Amino acid sequence: MRAFSYGRPDSVDAALRGVAGQPGTTTEAAVKFVAGGTNLLDLMKADVMRPERLLDISRLGLDQIEEIENGGLRLGALARNADTAYDARVQARYPMLSKAILAGASAQLRNMATNGGNLLQRTRCYYFYDTGTPCNKREPGTGCGALTGVNRIHAILGASDRCIAVHPSDMCVALAALDAVVRVSGPKGERTIPFADFHRLPGDTPHIDSNLAADELITAIDLPAEGFADHSTYLKVRDRASYAFALVSVAAALKLDGQTIRSARLALGGVAHKPWRDPAAEAGLAGKPASLETFREAARVLLRDARVQSHNAFKIGLAERAIVRALAEAAGVEHS
């Protein structure tokens, strides 16, 4: 175990003072916030992350789930995943989100993991965790071991020649489909980040996972009033039925007028460095009948730029079928 110091700030302002002056983004920071610790502590034990100081923010009181003026809900950053998933308002108005959270990890981990921490969890790429192999995300400039190695679980969309890792979260896929907003506090005050802009594609800087600065703290996640409660679902395809990350997942949400689609939201997990949405695929569904053929065309558009590696070509067919199935479930259309 590498030596590190520990502090427990008693307010958001005190927590921000503890990280003041850190350059860059949160993934590069020497001082890290810790709450549930379900990912960070594992990474420290594996010597993948080496913070010099941990600031325990678990008692800052950011654990409420509250109504907001626009008719939506504000999820406290420190609310536990389990409490969020089982909140009666989330279950009734945002069932896709509740289902996504419950599809992730295990009951024990969901009882500890926080909403803010879920957004900031790191990839589960084998090479990121193995410090004996090259990884541009763990150590920039060393190369990507997955490109020529075992890459069955890796990205088919939005990857680069520097990194083909995927984002591991289930919750984030649903939040992307809902157009959630992330609220953060920092030295310049509060700001909001649209969920589509929170996570990053790898490009030339795969070690930078998000646009959260190193001296900022997530305080809440705002859900819009529209939760697609009547016609939405979350579908996760994985190697085993529990405690496994998605090979492909789909958050699908529809507004229907009879059997005609008025609007649609589609987000994919397990296929890219961030939850993947494509406005063209969603726009193409509007005005179309809620039919399997319509859904198959949406899948083709969503996956038109997919690029496979040596071991993950199966993901394209798997994603196509998952998209069709999720849209059919959301619409109440029978499918085989």
Side-chain angles (χ1 to χ4, degrees), residues 137-209:
K137 180 177 287 293
R138 186 185 67 250
E139 191 174 352
T142 59
C144 174
L147 281 170
T148 56
V150 179
N151 44 47
R152 179 175 177 272
I153 66 171
H154 289 75
I156 58 173
L157 291 165
S160 73
D161 60 0
R162 302 291 182 89
C163 181
I164 57 173
V166 298
H167 195 271
S169 174
D170 293 289
M171 180 181 185
C172 287
V173 181
L175 291 173
L178 288 168
D179 276 337
V181 174
V182 184
R183 304 183 68 87
V184 306
S185 290
K188 298 180 180 179
E190 295 186 356
R191 70 178 179 118
T192 59
I193 307 173
F195 206 84
D197 299 328
F198 185 80
H199 297 104
R200 298 164 54 108
L201 292 177
D204 293 332
T205 55
H207 59 292
I208 303 175
D209 290 343

Side-chain angles (χ1 to χ4, degrees), residues 11-336:
S11 67
V12 170
D13 287 343
L16 293 175
R17 287 195 296 271
V19 295
Q22 290 198 114
T25 65
T26 185
T27 50
E28 303 169 295
V31 182
K32 297 282 189 187
F33 294 128
V34 62
T38 56
N39 187 209
L40 176 59
L41 297 184
D42 282 347
L43 290 167
M44 291 173 65
K45 291 174 184 177
D47 205 30
V48 174
M49 295 184 72
R50 305 165 183 173
E52 298 172 5
R53 181 169 174 77
L54 294 183
L55 294 179
D56 183 348
I57 58 171
S58 61
R59 303 185 187 185
L60 294 188
L62 302 173
D63 58 353
Q64 302 300 307
I65 298 176
E66 303 171 318
E67 301 283 345
I68 50 180
E69 290 183 358
N70 69 357
L73 280 182
R74 178 162 296 161
L75 310 178
L78 295 178
R80 305 293 173 172
N81 284 179
D83 293 336
T84 303
Y86 289 119
D87 183 278
R89 294 161 296 181
V90 174
Q91 290 182 316
R93 291 153 54 182
Y94 308 93
M96 175 174 62
L97 176 60
S98 178
K99 189 173 182 179
I101 295 172
L102 294 175
S106 65
Q108 294 90 338
L109 288 170
R110 293 191 297 268
N111 285 339
M112 285 296 296
T114 63
N115 293 334
N118 193 300
L119 271 58
L120 296 175
Q121 63 180 301
R122 310 298 305 275
T123 183
R124 294 328 197 269
C125 172
Y126 322 123
Y127 300 92
F128 176 67
Y129 269 79
D130 184 352
T131 57
T133 62
C135 174
N136 287 320
K137 180 177 287 293
R138 186 185 67 250
E139 191 174 352
T142 59
C144 174
L147 281 170
T148 56
V150 179
N151 44 47
R152 179 175 177 272
I153 66 171
H154 289 75
I156 58 173
L157 291 165
S160 73
D161 60 0
R162 302 291 182 89
C163 181
I164 57 173
V166 298
H167 195 271
S169 174
D170 293 289
M171 180 181 185
C172 287
V173 181
L175 291 173
L178 288 168
D179 276 337
V181 174
V182 184
R183 304 183 68 87
V184 306
S185 290
K188 298 180 180 179
E190 295 186 356
R191 70 178 179 118
T192 59
I193 307 173
F195 206 84
D197 299 328
F198 185 80
H199 297 104
R200 298 164 54 108
L201 292 177
D204 293 332
T205 55
H207 59 292
I208 303 175
D209 290 343
S210 76
N211 287 311
L212 184 72
D215 57 0
E216 290 182 316
L217 171 68
I218 298 174
T219 58
I221 302 159
D222 284 356
L223 303 181
E226 178 57 75
F228 298 90
D230 294 332
H231 298 287
S232 64
T233 194
Y234 183 75
L235 174 66
K236 180 176 183 177
V237 183
R238 46 189 163 175
D239 284 324
R240 59 179 185 267
S242 67
Y243 198 38
F245 295 96
L247 293 170
V248 172
S249 66
V250 186
L254 300 171
K255 293 293 287 183
L256 297 177
D257 184 0
Q259 287 302 304
T260 300
I261 300 168
R262 288 172 50 197
S263 63
R265 304 275 182 82
L266 270 175
L268 300 185
V271 297
H273 200 257
K274 60 183 286 186
W276 187 265
R277 283 183 66 185
D278 186 331
E282 295 176 8
L285 284 165
K288 300 286 182 63
S291 66
L292 295 181
E293 183 50 44
T294 297
F295 302 152
R296 292 187 187 105
E297 177 58 25
R300 286 191 287 268
V301 173
L302 194 56
L303 297 167
R304 67 191 182 280
D305 295 324
R307 299 290 182 270
V308 302
Q309 304 299 323
S310 54
H311 299 117
N312 70 354
F314 73 95
K315 275 197 174 189
I316 293 182
L318 186 64
E320 288 176 346
R321 294 188 294 274
I323 292 165
V324 172
R325 178 179 167 188
L327 285 168
E329 288 183 2
V333 173
E334 290 189 11
H335 61 92
S336 56

